[in-house]
Amino acid sequence: MTTGNLSKARLARMHDTMAGHVARGTAPGVVTLVSRRGETHVDAIGLTEVDGRTPMARDTIFRISSMTKPVTAVAAMILVEECQLRLDDPVDTLLPELADRQVMKRFDGSVTDTEPANRPISVRDLLTFQLGFGVFFAPPGSYPIQDAIAEAGIGNGPPRPAELPGPNEWIRRFGTLPLMHQPGERWMYNTGSDVLGVLIERASGQSLETFCRRRIFEPLGMRDTAFSVPAGKLGRFATSYEPDPDTGALRVYDPAAGGQWASPPAFHSGSGGLVSTVDDFAAFGQMMLAGGRYGDERILSRTTVQAMVTDHLTPRVKEESGFYPGYFDSRSWGLGLAVVTRRDSTSAVPGQFGWDGGLGTSWYSDPREDLTAILMTQRSGFPQLSEIYLDFWTSVYQALDD
């Protein structure tokens, strides 16, 4: 038995399970981290690219996509604590592009058939994804709003940072679109974090990357976390893959050199733009687990973190919102991250919080077990349904030995 009450034999079982995924070609490689009660285990398996020679390592850099969202939320809550932002204030003052919103009368109707919003969008709406606009899962061209989003060029799918305009132009384009629902009416994924990133820039007078670097990354020692990868670090940057929809074979989504993250983007996407390493993000997860403190650094107050990891959605919002069937039966959303509300598996513990990245990553911290765990791969998938994610989290919790 180890000091963190993690079984060595069961950690070895987790290694074998992850190595099996690599051997079967689920992903070219994987890096895992399990940290409990001051003891940390890291395991790197496989290669950074298909048919490559560079082995996965503890310092391999990954695109963490939607794991960016909790980081953006922490940045916003720093400004809330400093009274530069207030949760229930309208965003119109700093984002006049979003004043006097129009709302589609029917989600599947014309984008010009609208009515005035019942109220302005608030900071809280952005954090809880209740601004009335977001991602929905339907084939392209299914609804007129999809065509309008594509024409505006604001991005509303897998992250492609090099294709987006700068923040002022991005928010201008977003402001030309109607909301899909009234503010506060439904939970809709993703877009709130991008709007929040622009709001942070306006409130702080700094780029989102500069603000996050000074207030989060540097204090936490997150040396490799950024919105792009400099030339000197590209050798540690894993190639990103997605499965071919017809054959299932892995195809390149984004190369390391010359790809979307190989140069600084015009738009720092608060929803999915960051890259990071397993140790960098473990520092962030440990900070959240410790109530805002990391070593001698305090990023947020304990009460602010408690507010972030509290369920902020009403039963009515959950009933009317969709993500995938059954999601809100055992999970919900706090201020910028997911929270587990009911135990429905061996690895779902009420009070657990965190989020996943659709390009192959996952992080959750568990106050009840004093546990932080992270999965990093370079193969995209749907986190709550993909076998490698599910097997990782099952393996983390079966390794507890107390």
Side-chain angles (χ1 to χ4, degrees):
M1 185 180 295
T2 63
T3 57
N5 294 112
L6 294 166
S7 165
K8 290 183 178 179
R10 286 170 172 262
L11 288 170
R13 180 190 293 172
M14 181 171 74
H15 168 86
D16 292 343
T17 298
M18 295 294 103
H21 278 290
V22 172
R24 291 190 296 274
T26 304
V30 58
V31 181
T32 62
L33 179 145
V34 182
S35 182
R36 192 176 192 226
R37 299 172 183 169
E39 181 173 346
T40 300
H41 294 265
V42 177
D43 194 13
I45 305 167
L47 303 171
T48 61
E49 59 182 342
V50 174
D51 299 326
R53 296 183 178 181
T54 304
M56 277 292 182
R58 187 165 182 161
D59 64 352
T60 296
I61 301 170
F62 296 86
R63 301 154 193 79
I64 63 171
S65 51
S66 287
M67 279 167 53
T68 303
K69 292 173 171 66
V71 177
T72 304
V74 165
M77 296 309 293
I78 290 172
L79 292 171
V80 169
E81 287 194 337
E82 294 177 350
C83 300
Q84 301 302 307
L85 296 173
R86 299 182 187 89
L87 285 177
D88 294 310
D89 275 1
V91 301
D92 299 4
T93 302
L94 291 171
L95 301 176
E97 299 90 342
L98 303 188
D100 303 320
R101 291 290 78 210
Q102 290 291 308
V103 182
M104 296 172 65
K105 291 181 180 179
R106 289 179 49 187
F107 174 73
D108 59 352
S110 169
V111 296
T112 60
D113 185 17
T114 63
E115 60 188 3
N118 294 334
R119 63 169 176 80
I121 297 169
S122 69
V123 178
R124 187 188 301 271
D125 290 331
L126 301 181
L127 285 159
T128 61
F129 288 170
Q130 294 181 89
L131 73 159
F133 194 103
V135 169
F136 57 94
F137 300 99
S142 298
Y143 301 100
I145 186 63
Q146 292 173 287
D147 297 331
I149 292 169
E151 185 176 347
I154 61 168
N156 206 34
R160 295 185 179 277
E163 299 178 2
L164 298 177
N168 291 332
E169 175 61 14
W170 187 93
I171 200 69
R172 185 197 69 77
R173 295 184 189 182
F174 178 70
T176 67
L177 299 171
L179 299 179
M180 302 177 194
H181 301 285
Q182 290 287 346
E185 186 178 87
R186 296 199 184 187
W187 182 93
M188 294 196 76
Y189 187 55
N190 195 67
T191 310
S193 293
D194 276 333
V195 178
L196 189 64
V198 181
L199 183 70
I200 291 165
E201 294 195 348
R202 298 268 178 94
S204 68
Q206 305 170 46
S207 73
L208 182 60
E209 181 166 52
T210 297
F211 185 84
C212 288
R213 184 178 70 250
R214 292 175 176 173
R215 303 301 301 273
I216 301 173
F217 304 154
E218 289 178 354
L220 297 182
M222 299 171 69
R223 298 179 181 85
D224 293 317
T225 303
F227 285 92
S228 62
V229 181
K233 295 182 179 182
L234 287 175
R236 294 194 282 121
F237 192 30
T239 297
S240 179
Y241 296 91
E242 62 183 355
D244 184 286
D246 296 322
T247 67
L250 295 184
R251 64 187 185 189
V252 174
Y253 173 76
D254 185 67
Q260 293 274 324
W261 280 264
S263 57
F267 184 74
H268 298 144
S269 171
S271 71
L274 285 175
V275 300
S276 192
T277 64
V278 71
D279 279 302
D280 272 15
F281 215 86
F284 180 84
Q286 287 296 117
M287 178 274 294
M288 293 292 289
L289 189 64
R293 181 184 288 280
Y294 185 79
D296 294 331
E297 299 285 348
R298 177 162 289 283
I299 306 300
L300 291 172
S301 73
R302 174 179 52 81
T303 56
T304 295
V305 173
Q306 288 172 343
M308 291 183 69
V309 302
T310 296
D311 181 359
H312 281 261
L313 303 185
T314 66
R316 180 178 178 181
V317 166
K318 294 177 188 177
E319 182 179 350
E320 296 184 356
S321 303
F323 189 41
Y324 66 85
Y327 178 78
F328 288 114
D329 292 345
S330 58
R331 289 161 177 79
S332 192
W333 200 254
L335 298 177
L337 74 177
V339 295
V340 175
T341 56
R342 180 173 68 86
R343 185 185 291 274
D344 67 349
S345 73
T346 60
S347 59
V349 178
Q352 183 189 71
F353 59 84
W355 197 227
D356 311 287
L359 295 184
T361 62
S362 186
W363 154 67
Y364 283 86
S365 290
D366 181 347
R368 187 172 299 185
E369 296 291 348
D370 194 11
L371 172 74
T372 292
I374 298 168
L375 168 72
M376 297 281 201
T377 80
Q378 74 275 56
R379 180 254 172 85
S380 66
F382 194 79
Q384 287 77 24
L385 301 177
S386 297
E387 290 182 355
I388 193 168
Y389 289 83
L390 297 172
D391 291 350
F392 169 70
W393 286 107
T394 297
S395 297
V396 167
Y397 278 83
Q398 62 86 38
L400 304 187
D401 197 22
D402 57 357

